[in-house]
Protein backbone atom coordinates (compact mmCIF):
# COMPACT_ATOMS: atom_id res chain seq x y z
CA UNK A 1 0.00 0.00 0.00
CA UNK A 2 2.76 2.39 0.93
CA UNK A 3 4.53 1.61 -2.35
CA UNK A 4 1.43 2.48 -4.35
CA UNK A 5 0.60 5.65 -2.42
CA UNK A 6 4.04 7.24 -2.87
CA UNK A 7 3.79 7.69 -6.67
CA UNK A 8 0.21 8.96 -6.36
CA UNK A 9 1.18 11.54 -3.77
CA UNK A 10 4.15 12.55 -5.89
CA UNK A 11 1.92 13.03 -8.92
CA UNK A 12 -0.53 15.13 -6.90
CA UNK A 13 2.27 17.31 -5.59
CA UNK A 14 3.56 17.77 -9.11
CA UNK A 15 0.08 18.58 -10.40
CA UNK A 16 -0.38 21.23 -7.73
CA UNK A 17 2.69 23.13 -8.87
CA UNK A 18 2.29 26.09 -11.20
CA UNK A 19 2.70 24.96 -14.84
CA UNK A 20 5.42 26.56 -16.93
CA UNK A 21 3.19 28.50 -19.32
CA UNK A 22 1.17 30.44 -16.71
CA UNK A 23 4.37 31.23 -14.82
CA UNK A 24 5.93 32.53 -18.05
CA UNK A 25 2.93 34.84 -18.47
CA UNK A 26 3.31 36.10 -14.89
CA UNK A 27 6.99 36.85 -15.50
CA UNK A 28 6.14 38.57 -18.79
CA UNK A 29 3.56 40.73 -17.00
CA UNK A 30 6.13 41.66 -14.36
CA UNK A 31 8.71 42.54 -17.02
CA UNK A 32 6.27 44.74 -18.95
CA UNK A 33 5.12 46.46 -15.76
CA UNK A 34 8.69 47.07 -14.57
CA UNK A 35 9.69 48.59 -17.91
CA UNK A 36 6.70 50.93 -17.88
CA UNK A 37 7.32 51.93 -14.27
CA UNK A 38 10.98 52.63 -15.05
CA UNK A 39 10.02 54.73 -18.06
CA UNK A 40 7.53 56.76 -16.00
CA UNK A 41 10.14 57.30 -13.28
CA UNK A 42 12.66 58.33 -15.92
CA UNK A 43 10.29 60.91 -17.39
CA UNK A 44 9.03 62.53 -14.19
CA UNK A 45 11.14 61.20 -11.34
CA UNK A 46 9.79 61.51 -7.82
CA UNK A 47 6.94 63.83 -8.71
CA UNK A 48 4.95 64.96 -5.65
CA UNK A 49 2.53 62.17 -4.72
CA UNK A 50 3.59 59.98 -7.64
CA UNK A 51 7.09 58.78 -6.73
CA UNK A 52 5.84 55.56 -5.13
CA UNK A 53 2.90 55.20 -7.51
CA UNK A 54 5.21 54.44 -10.45
CA UNK A 55 6.52 51.27 -8.76
CA UNK A 56 3.44 50.13 -6.85
CA UNK A 57 1.97 48.29 -9.90
CA UNK A 58 5.27 46.41 -10.29
CA UNK A 59 5.18 45.34 -6.65
CA UNK A 60 1.60 44.10 -7.05
CA UNK A 61 2.45 42.28 -10.29
CA UNK A 62 5.35 40.48 -8.58
CA UNK A 63 3.06 38.75 -6.05
CA UNK A 64 1.95 35.83 -8.32
CA UNK A 65 5.55 35.14 -9.36
CA UNK A 66 6.35 33.94 -5.84
CA UNK A 67 3.40 31.53 -5.68
CA UNK A 68 4.53 27.90 -5.83
CA UNK A 69 1.24 25.98 -6.00
CA UNK A 70 -1.36 26.21 -8.72
CA UNK A 71 -4.42 27.31 -6.72
CA UNK A 72 -2.67 30.13 -4.79
CA UNK A 73 -1.10 31.22 -8.07
CA UNK A 74 -4.51 31.61 -9.74
CA UNK A 75 -5.92 33.55 -6.80
CA UNK A 76 -2.82 35.74 -6.69
CA UNK A 77 -3.13 36.51 -10.42
CA UNK A 78 -6.82 37.39 -10.07
CA UNK A 79 -6.26 39.52 -6.96
CA UNK A 80 -3.28 41.33 -8.48
CA UNK A 81 -5.21 41.95 -11.70
CA UNK A 82 -8.13 43.49 -9.82
CA UNK A 83 -5.79 45.68 -7.76
CA UNK A 84 -4.11 46.89 -10.94
CA UNK A 85 -7.46 47.80 -12.49
CA UNK A 86 -8.39 49.77 -9.37
CA UNK A 87 -4.98 51.45 -9.39
CA UNK A 88 -5.39 52.34 -13.06
CA UNK A 89 -8.38 54.50 -12.16
CA UNK A 90 -6.24 56.72 -9.93
CA UNK A 91 -2.81 56.64 -11.63
CA UNK A 92 -2.92 55.92 -15.37
CA UNK A 93 -4.32 53.42 -17.83
CA UNK A 94 -1.01 51.60 -18.38
CA UNK A 95 -1.53 48.91 -15.66
CA UNK A 96 -4.59 47.66 -17.57
CA UNK A 97 -2.68 45.50 -20.13
CA UNK A 98 -0.65 44.02 -17.26
CA UNK A 99 -3.87 43.14 -15.43
CA UNK A 100 -5.19 41.44 -18.57
CA UNK A 101 -2.01 39.36 -18.82
CA UNK A 102 -2.47 38.20 -15.22
CA UNK A 103 -6.10 37.26 -15.91
CA UNK A 104 -4.94 35.25 -18.92
CA UNK A 105 -2.25 33.58 -16.78
CA UNK A 106 -4.89 32.55 -14.24
CA UNK A 107 -6.98 30.94 -16.99
CA UNK A 108 -4.09 29.16 -18.73
CA UNK A 109 -4.10 25.56 -17.47
CA UNK A 110 -2.27 23.20 -19.87
CA UNK A 111 -3.22 20.15 -17.80
CA UNK A 112 -6.97 20.63 -18.14
CA UNK A 113 -7.27 22.45 -21.47
CA UNK A 114 -4.01 22.31 -23.50
CA UNK A 115 -5.33 24.18 -26.55
CA UNK A 116 -6.97 26.85 -24.45
CA UNK A 117 -3.69 27.27 -22.56
CA UNK A 118 -1.73 27.66 -25.79
CA UNK A 119 -4.09 30.35 -27.04
CA UNK A 120 -3.88 32.07 -23.66
CA UNK A 121 -0.09 32.06 -23.79
CA UNK A 122 -0.15 33.50 -27.31
CA UNK A 123 -2.54 36.27 -26.25
CA UNK A 124 -0.66 37.01 -23.03
CA UNK A 125 2.77 37.17 -24.67
CA UNK A 126 1.37 39.42 -27.42
CA UNK A 127 -0.03 41.78 -24.80
CA UNK A 128 3.31 41.80 -22.98
CA UNK A 129 5.22 42.62 -26.17
CA UNK A 130 2.79 45.39 -27.12
CA UNK A 131 2.93 46.85 -23.60
CA UNK A 132 6.76 46.79 -23.63
CA UNK A 133 7.42 48.42 -27.01
CA UNK A 134 6.77 52.03 -25.98
CA UNK A 135 8.64 51.78 -22.63
CA UNK A 136 11.70 50.21 -24.26
CA UNK A 137 11.75 52.89 -26.94
CA UNK A 138 11.21 55.63 -24.35
CA UNK A 139 13.97 54.35 -22.06
CA UNK A 140 16.40 54.09 -24.97
CA UNK A 141 15.54 57.61 -26.14
CA UNK A 142 15.86 58.96 -22.61
CA UNK A 143 19.28 57.40 -22.12
CA UNK A 144 20.74 58.39 -25.49
CA UNK A 145 19.13 61.72 -26.42
CA UNK A 146 21.26 64.89 -26.28
CA UNK A 147 20.35 67.75 -23.91
CA UNK A 148 17.49 69.98 -25.02
CA UNK A 149 18.24 72.92 -22.73
CA UNK A 150 19.27 73.94 -19.22
CA UNK A 151 17.63 74.05 -15.82
CA UNK A 152 18.64 77.20 -13.95
CA UNK A 153 18.47 76.87 -10.16
CA UNK A 154 18.40 80.07 -8.12
CA UNK A 155 18.68 81.08 -4.48
CA UNK A 156 15.68 81.64 -2.23
CA UNK A 157 16.09 85.42 -2.58
CA UNK A 158 15.74 85.25 -6.35
CA UNK A 159 12.33 86.57 -7.51
CA UNK A 160 10.71 87.49 -10.80
CA UNK A 161 10.75 91.16 -9.83
CA UNK A 162 14.54 91.41 -9.60
CA UNK A 163 16.74 92.77 -12.39
CA UNK A 164 18.65 89.49 -12.21
CA UNK A 165 15.58 87.64 -13.48
CA UNK A 166 15.36 89.97 -16.46
CA UNK A 167 19.03 89.35 -17.11
CA UNK A 168 18.51 85.61 -17.21
CA UNK A 169 15.31 85.59 -19.24
CA UNK A 170 15.72 88.56 -21.57
CA UNK A 171 19.45 88.17 -21.96
CA UNK A 172 19.24 84.48 -22.76
CA UNK A 173 16.34 85.01 -25.14
CA UNK A 174 18.32 87.45 -27.26
CA UNK A 175 21.03 85.95 -29.41
CA UNK A 176 21.47 82.59 -27.66
CA UNK A 177 19.14 80.37 -29.69
CA UNK A 178 16.53 80.02 -26.94
CA UNK A 179 13.13 78.67 -27.99
CA UNK A 180 11.14 78.83 -24.76
CA UNK A 181 11.40 79.18 -20.98
CA UNK A 182 9.39 77.79 -18.11
CA UNK A 183 9.58 79.17 -14.58
CA UNK A 184 8.41 77.17 -11.56
CA UNK A 185 8.88 77.40 -7.82
CA UNK A 186 11.56 74.94 -6.76
CA UNK A 187 10.80 72.57 -3.83
CA UNK A 188 11.81 73.34 -0.24
CA UNK A 189 11.71 77.09 -0.97
CA UNK A 190 15.08 77.00 -2.68
CA UNK A 191 14.05 79.64 -5.17
CA UNK A 192 12.94 79.65 -8.78
CA UNK A 193 13.71 76.90 -11.25
CA UNK A 194 13.90 78.16 -14.84
CA UNK A 195 13.91 75.64 -17.68
CA UNK A 196 15.58 77.13 -20.76
CA UNK A 197 15.00 75.22 -23.99
CA UNK A 198 17.33 75.99 -26.88
CA UNK A 199 17.04 75.24 -30.59
CA UNK A 200 17.78 71.62 -31.60
CA UNK A 201 20.37 72.87 -34.12
CA UNK A 202 22.25 75.02 -31.59
CA UNK A 203 25.94 73.98 -31.82
CA UNK A 204 27.92 72.86 -28.79
CA UNK A 205 29.85 76.12 -28.54
CA UNK A 206 26.55 78.04 -28.60
CA UNK A 207 25.25 75.83 -25.81
CA UNK A 208 28.37 76.56 -23.74
CA UNK A 209 28.00 80.31 -24.28
CA UNK A 210 24.41 80.09 -23.10
CA UNK A 211 25.47 78.05 -20.07
CA UNK A 212 28.12 80.64 -19.11
CA UNK A 213 25.61 83.45 -19.52
CA UNK A 214 23.14 81.72 -17.22
CA UNK A 215 25.78 80.77 -14.67
CA UNK A 216 27.10 84.33 -14.36
CA UNK A 217 23.67 85.84 -13.59
CA UNK A 218 23.31 87.05 -9.97
CA UNK A 219 21.34 84.71 -7.74
CA UNK A 220 21.93 81.62 -9.88
CA UNK A 221 23.26 78.72 -7.80
CA UNK A 222 23.76 76.10 -10.51
CA UNK A 223 22.91 75.32 -14.13
CA UNK A 224 22.09 71.74 -15.12
CA UNK A 225 21.67 70.20 -18.53
CA UNK A 226 18.00 69.48 -19.26
CA UNK A 227 16.97 66.30 -21.06
CA UNK A 228 13.43 66.26 -22.37
CA UNK A 229 12.91 62.53 -21.85
CA UNK A 230 15.03 61.93 -18.76
CA UNK A 231 14.25 63.61 -15.48
CA UNK A 232 17.05 61.80 -13.67
CA UNK A 233 19.75 62.99 -16.06
CA UNK A 234 18.47 66.55 -15.65
CA UNK A 235 19.40 66.54 -11.97
CA UNK A 236 22.79 67.80 -10.82
Amino acid sequence: MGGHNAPVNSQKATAEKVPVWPRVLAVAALLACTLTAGWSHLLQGNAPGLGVAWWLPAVITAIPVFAVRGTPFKYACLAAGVLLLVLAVFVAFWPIPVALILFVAAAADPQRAPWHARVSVLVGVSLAVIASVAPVEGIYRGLTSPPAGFVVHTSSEFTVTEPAFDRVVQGAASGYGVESMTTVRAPDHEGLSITVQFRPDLPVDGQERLRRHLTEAPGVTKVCSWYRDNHLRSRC
Side-chain angles (χ1 to χ4, degrees):
M1 299 260 324
H4 291 287
N5 289 334
V8 173
N9 293 333
S10 177
Q11 291 177 1
K12 289 183 178 180
T14 303
E16 290 179 356
K17 291 183 178 181
V18 181
V20 176
W21 293 350
R23 186 170 292 279
V24 168
L25 289 179
V27 173
L30 179 58
L31 179 60
C33 191
T34 302
L35 288 172
T36 308
W39 182 31
S40 301
H41 185 72
L42 202 65
L43 284 176
Q44 302 190 31
N46 294 321
L50 293 177
V52 180
W54 301 139
W55 297 102
L56 185 57
V59 174
I60 296 174
T61 308
I63 296 176
V65 176
F66 295 98
V68 178
R69 302 300 180 185
T71 301
F73 173 82
K74 292 180 180 179
Y75 288 140
C77 287
L78 294 175
V82 172
L83 288 175
L84 289 176
L85 291 180
V86 173
L87 193 63
V89 177
F90 300 98
V91 181
F93 74 92
W94 63 263
I96 295 178
V98 180
L100 296 179
I101 298 173
L102 292 179
F103 291 149
V104 171
D109 191 348
Q111 297 175 350
R112 294 183 178 180
W115 282 105
H116 176 74
R118 292 172 184 174
V119 174
S120 299
V121 170
L122 180 61
V123 173
V125 171
S126 301
L127 286 174
V129 171
I130 294 173
S132 302
V133 170
V136 170
E137 181 183 358
I139 292 174
Y140 175 79
R141 184 172 59 251
L143 295 176
T144 58
S145 61
F150 297 109
V151 179
V152 182
H153 298 274
T154 64
S155 61
S156 57
E157 294 80 13
F158 193 93
T159 64
V160 294
T161 59
E162 290 185 354
F165 179 82
D166 293 334
R167 179 176 175 181
V168 172
V169 176
Q170 296 179 3
S174 59
Y176 284 96
V178 174
E179 281 193 339
S180 63
M181 294 188 183
T182 304
T183 305
V184 297
R185 175 65 62 179
D188 300 328
H189 306 288
E190 294 178 355
L192 293 177
S193 176
I194 307 172
T195 302
V196 180
Q197 179 179 348
F198 48 69
R199 295 195 315 267
D201 59 346
L202 185 65
V204 177
D205 57 344
Q207 297 177 22
E208 289 303 316
R209 286 197 303 270
L210 176 59
R211 182 193 290 271
R212 287 195 300 268
H213 167 79
L214 297 172
T215 304
E216 294 170 357
V220 173
T221 57
K222 59 182 178 179
V223 178
C224 308
S225 296
W226 174 64
Y227 298 86
R228 191 191 311 275
D229 301 316
N230 195 322
H231 173 81
L232 301 180
R233 290 178 70 190
S234 301
R235 299 171 59 185
C236 65

